């Protein structure tokens, strides 16, 4: 099976989560591509936001093109929260996927989402739900992170991200808090889950989608 991990990251949080998800998917034997969504903020704004150095750490990751999505059987999107919704960079990328949508390029593929937010209740889950709407419009089969796949989601002894809707990370108000091992573990589990799900479902869904109703 083939899994794409597609992320946008400003300070590196979603990059680290994407790396963890890729590790999980690779552990199942999946063929995995790590791809990043292009930045559309000017160098001046990135410098004022103190994000320039962080972005250099993943500048060698290939920038995703809409047609890259069609290669994968399962796709995990790493989407940071902006006011309870996806970032503008991610929205711009999805706006460019119209040709993929028109030819049904993602119909029957597994889609899943991870996110991050500055605080515990900063909108990471609402961001995941917003992205789910886009994936459903593409005809994808949407999945989250079942508790059975990562029982540590029940752990309430520490402040951590993570939800049954998808792995999440808490970044802190200034972005200085990087994902914890708990949060990275959720991302790895999500990578494993999506890879296994893609391997067992996608082939049958492609067959069904070609049959006349």
């Amino acid at each position: 099976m083939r899994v794409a991990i597609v992320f946008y990251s400003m300070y590196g949080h979603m990059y680290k989560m994407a790396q963890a998800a890729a590790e999980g998917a690779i552990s199942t034997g999946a063929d995995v591509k790590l791809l990043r969504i292009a930045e559309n903020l000017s160098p001046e704004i990135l410098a004022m936001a103190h994000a320039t150095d962080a972005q250099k750490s993943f500048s060698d990751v290939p920038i995703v093109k809409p047609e890259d999505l069609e290669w994968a059987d399962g796709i995990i999107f790493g989407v940071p929260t902006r006011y309870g919704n996806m970032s503008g960079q991610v929205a711009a990328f999805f706006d460019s996927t119209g040709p993929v949508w028109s030819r049904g390029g993602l119909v029957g593929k597994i889609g899943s989402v991870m996110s991050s937010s500055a605080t515990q209740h900063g909108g990471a889950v609402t961001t995941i739900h917003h992205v789910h709407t886009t994936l459903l419009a593409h005809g994808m089969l949407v999945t989250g992170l079942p508790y059975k796949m990562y029982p540590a989601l029940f752990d309430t002894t520490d402040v951590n991200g993570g939800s049954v809707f998808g792995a999440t990370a808490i970044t802190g108000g200034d972005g200085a808090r990087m994902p914890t091992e708990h949060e990275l573990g959720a991302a790895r589990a999500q990578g494993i889950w999506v890879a296994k799900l893609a391997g067992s479902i996608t082939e049958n869904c492609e067959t069904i989608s070609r049959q006349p109703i």
Side-chain angles (χ1 to χ4, degrees):
M1 80 289 290
R2 296 177 293 189
V3 176
I5 315 294
V6 180
F7 71 94
Y8 169 74
S9 194
M10 189 169 184
Y11 294 104
H13 302 89
M14 291 316 305
Y15 172 49
K16 290 184 179 297
M17 295 286 279
Q19 285 181 307
E23 290 171 6
I26 289 170
S27 73
T28 70
D31 186 5
V32 177
K33 286 186 179 180
L34 187 64
L35 302 165
R36 66 184 173 96
I37 292 172
E39 182 59 79
N40 61 15
L41 295 177
S42 69
E44 292 76 18
I45 291 177
L46 291 173
M48 287 190 291
H50 307 291
T52 304
D53 289 341
Q55 294 209 338
K56 289 178 181 177
S57 67
F58 48 86
S59 61
D60 60 333
V61 177
I63 292 176
V64 65
K65 301 184 293 296
E67 56 268 27
D68 291 332
L69 303 181
E70 296 176 271
W71 167 87
D73 300 312
I75 308 170
I76 299 175
F77 293 93
V79 182
T81 295
R82 297 291 186 272
Y83 311 109
N85 208 329
M86 70 182 82
S87 66
Q89 293 84 349
V90 178
F93 172 72
F94 279 129
D95 283 348
S96 74
T97 62
V100 176
W101 171 83
S102 66
R103 58 179 174 262
L106 302 185
V107 172
K109 296 180 183 292
I110 304 300
S112 197
V113 187
M114 305 183 297
S115 191
S116 61
S117 60
T119 62
Q120 275 186 283
H121 308 291
V125 168
T126 61
T127 295
I128 289 172
H129 288 324
H130 281 299
V131 180
H132 282 173
T133 302
T134 302
L135 304 189
L136 288 168
H138 270 285
M140 301 189 79
L141 306 177
V142 174
T143 186
L145 176 60
Y147 288 117
K148 188 174 181 179
M149 285 299 301
Y150 195 59
L153 290 175
F154 285 108
D155 183 9
T156 58
T157 57
D158 295 303
V159 175
N160 278 304
S163 76
V164 72
F165 308 106
T168 66
I170 301 168
T171 69
D174 60 359
R177 183 184 188 273
M178 283 294 148
T180 64
E181 183 51 41
H182 172 99
E183 292 163 346
L184 294 173
R188 290 189 196 97
Q190 194 163 345
I192 292 169
W193 172 241
V194 168
K196 289 184 175 181
L197 203 57
S200 63
I201 291 179
T202 302
E203 184 176 345
N204 290 331
C205 285
E206 287 178 352
T207 301
I208 292 169
S209 68
R210 296 191 189 100
Q211 296 174 349
I213 297 175

